[in-house]
Amino acid sequence: MVDVIHDPAAMRDRVRRSRVAGRRVGFVPTMGALHAGHASLVDRAAAECDDVVVSIFVNPAQFAPHEDFNRYPRTLAADCHLLETHRATWVYAPEVAAVYPPDDATTVTVAGPAAGFEGTIRPGHFTGVATVVCKLLLAVPADVAYFGAKDWQQTLVVKRMVRDLGLPVTIAVCPTVRDADGLALSSRNAYLSVAERQRAVALAEALALAATMWDAGAAVAAIETAMRAALDHRGLAVDYAAVVDAESLGPIVEAAPAVALVAGRLGTTRLIDNRELPPRGGGRRAC
Ligand code: AMP
């Protein structure tokens, strides 16, 4: 049985004792409703570390009042069951009041990579993310914390926060796990009707198109137009479809990796995805 810990001080104590004993500790922060994407992070952590902590905490601070905090799936028993088969040592499942005391007055705001895209569509979201990740890292002072490339902009925000605050943890970014048709696994996929699930493949289709056009040397504006059309074609309401520099999320930089970012809505469900694009070399200007 995986050991579930609710108290931050008890969690910190376990991790510290483990590290003092010379054990390497890995940490996988999640909001639960675990799927094979989360499991891949746990597997990577288990392969690289002696002990693995998986946090399960639906973080109210990263949801706007009109978003899906209340209906977000909460499946702790099933999550623990899944983690039994993935060599997690501890589940950290704090109460909201333990993370956010009633008179809580402190937040962590990251500028730079938090601007634009999710930061524009979901104002305050990344402050909620950075604040909770900071608090979680204090309760789980691990050697390495594992995040999914699925949430590309989030990985940039977390890496910048860790660098700027000098937090003593290494951030590892792991590949996106997908269904057979290319749809990135997400806890929010559970909201989709059967018809919406079929149309959700549009995100992967748009990204595949972007990769093909990128490899063929197409201009960024043409790629973005084509991605938007692919999303429109399946009836997604597009929030953004962009090709940007993978680190700054600004304009493409010659010979540097890029990333295609897409976000859209199917009914009441919002989905995001991305695909890394290799550097363009040979003196060819991308835009
Ligand atoms: P969440 O529970 O959605 O907050 O996600 C927790 C962690 O799992 C984040 O670092 C996500 O980027 C990562 N993650 C979510 N979906 C996937 C996926 N399909 N493949 C790999 N990692 C994922």
Side-chain angles (χ1 to χ4, degrees):
M1 276 281 285
V2 65
D3 201 359
V4 182
I5 298 168
H6 300 283
D7 178 53
M11 186 71 252
R12 196 177 310 121
D13 186 53
R14 299 278 186 105
V15 173
R16 282 197 179 140
R17 278 194 278 149
S18 183
R19 291 189 64 182
V20 165
R23 296 173 70 78
R24 183 174 167 84
V25 178
F27 176 35
V28 180
T30 82
M31 296 206 298
L34 301 182
H35 49 65
H38 298 112
S40 73
L41 271 55
V42 178
D43 290 343
R44 165 99 175 260
E48 296 179 356
C49 302
D50 301 300
D51 290 315
V52 177
V53 183
V54 179
S55 65
I56 295 180
F57 180 66
V58 185
N59 174 33
Q62 70 188 70
F63 292 79
H66 66 277
E67 291 182 343
D68 56 340
F69 175 72
N70 286 327
R71 75 164 173 154
Y72 199 86
R74 288 158 171 88
T75 59
L76 184 61
D79 291 346
C80 290
H81 187 65
L82 179 142
L83 290 172
E84 308 270 305
T85 56
H86 289 274
R87 220 179 67 63
T89 318
W90 299 295
V91 167
Y92 175 47
E95 298 295 334
V96 170
V99 178
Y100 299 107
D103 55 350
D104 185 42
T106 305
T107 55
V108 178
T109 297
V110 179
F117 304 106
E118 292 304 289
T120 300
I121 305 280
R122 306 181 69 188
H125 170 69
F126 284 127
T127 291
V129 168
T131 301
V132 82
V133 171
C134 190
K135 286 171 179 262
L136 291 170
L137 287 170
L138 289 168
V140 186
D143 294 275
V144 190
Y146 296 84
F147 290 83
K150 155 82 167 55
D151 298 286
W152 184 264
Q153 192 175 9
Q154 173 173 279
T155 67
L156 300 177
V157 169
V158 169
K159 284 193 277 189
R160 183 68 66 88
M161 175 189 72
V162 163
R163 189 202 73 178
D164 291 352
L165 297 182
L167 300 180
V169 64
T170 299
I171 301 301
V173 178
C174 308
T176 301
V177 176
R178 299 174 179 283
D179 265 342
D181 66 353
L183 178 67
L185 299 188
S186 166
S187 306
R188 290 191 167 96
N189 293 353
Y191 300 152
L192 299 171
S193 68
V194 172
E196 287 170 341
R197 170 63 190 83
Q198 284 171 357
R199 289 156 57 206
V201 72
L203 294 152
E205 288 173 345
L207 294 171
L209 190 56
T212 303
M213 291 179 73
W214 177 260
D215 289 346
V220 165
I223 300 174
E224 291 177 344
T225 301
M227 285 198 294
R228 201 169 268 275
L231 296 167
D232 280 345
H233 177 69
R234 296 263 193 190
L236 265 88
V238 182
D239 281 340
Y240 54 78
V243 174
V244 289
D245 178 70
E247 284 299 313
S248 69
L249 303 188
I252 297 301
V253 175
E254 188 75 32
V259 64
L261 301 170
V262 288
R265 283 159 286 125
L266 272 170
T268 56
T269 305
R270 191 166 177 276
L271 300 173
I272 65 172
D273 199 355
N274 66 81
R275 182 158 168 164
E276 291 179 71
L277 303 171
R280 271 178 165 174
R284 189 168 52 200
R285 268 266 146 230
C287 50

